């Protein structure tokens, strides 16, 4: 079965960095586009970034553009999100997910989700 397992979250000071990882299994990872999505308790999900199957095209929400970098290792079935210059408003649970529509869009449907990893940006 499809499994997506995130890791790497934690508490970081404003201006700091974190690298999130997502281990994928149960499907041919290299043939699927992937996403990062975040959610703040009490608010809806916010799309963060997409990457196409071979990693040649990436897409970012305006709120993270220039600070976050999505990448993937198809040989190791891993998805990553490097987060730099973190701000308190980046505090959220971060989920990796598998999109099934067009990339770069907030409302693209995603059919599988991980359990999430919490990122807290606070001094």
């Amino acid at each position: 079965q499809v499994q997506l397992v995130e890791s790497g979250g934690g508490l970081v000071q404003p201006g700091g960095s974190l690298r999130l990882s997502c281990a994928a299994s149960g499907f041919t990872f290299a043939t699927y586009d992937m996403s990062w999505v975040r959610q703040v308790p009490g608010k809806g999900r916010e799309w963060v970034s997409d990457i196409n199957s071979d990693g040649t095209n990436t897409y970012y929400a305006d709120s993270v553009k220039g600070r976050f970098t999505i990448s993937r290792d198809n040989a190791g079935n891993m998805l990553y999100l490097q987060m730099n210059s973190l701000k308190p408003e980046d505090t959220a649970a971060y989920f990796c997910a598998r999109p099934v529509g067009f990339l770069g869009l907030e409302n693209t449907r995603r059919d599988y989700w991980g359990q999430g990893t919490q990122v807290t940006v606070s001094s």
Side-chain angles (χ1 to χ4, degrees):
Q1 71 279 21
V2 173
Q3 283 196 315
L4 300 170
V5 180
E6 301 93 337
S7 61
L11 174 64
V12 62
Q13 292 187 340
S17 298
L18 278 177
R19 188 194 196 202
L20 305 184
S21 300
C22 173
S25 61
F27 65 105
T28 307
F29 180 73
T31 65
Y32 283 87
D33 304 330
M34 294 297 296
S35 298
W36 286 99
V37 179
R38 64 188 182 186
Q39 185 167 21
V40 176
K43 296 187 178 181
R45 289 172 174 166
E46 177 189 11
W47 167 71
V48 174
S49 183
D50 288 335
I51 188 168
N52 69 339
S53 59
D54 65 4
T56 54
N57 291 305
T58 57
Y59 308 82
Y60 299 93
D62 287 344
S63 59
V64 306
K65 200 173 294 182
R67 300 187 298 121
F68 290 11
T69 303
I70 191 172
S71 62
R72 64 191 298 160
D73 172 9
N74 284 346
N77 290 351
M78 295 293 295
L79 177 71
Y80 302 102
L81 186 68
Q82 178 67 43
M83 306 186 296
N84 299 329
S85 302
L86 282 161
K87 304 175 181 180
E89 51 264 43
D90 295 318
T91 296
Y94 283 73
F95 300 85
C96 66
R98 199 174 74 174
V100 293
F102 290 107
L103 299 185
L105 301 177
E106 176 76 47
N107 59 358
T108 292
R109 189 174 74 88
R110 294 165 176 91
D111 61 354
Y112 287 97
W113 296 76
Q115 84 290 347
T117 186
Q118 179 66 36
V119 172
T120 302
V121 184
S122 174
S123 55

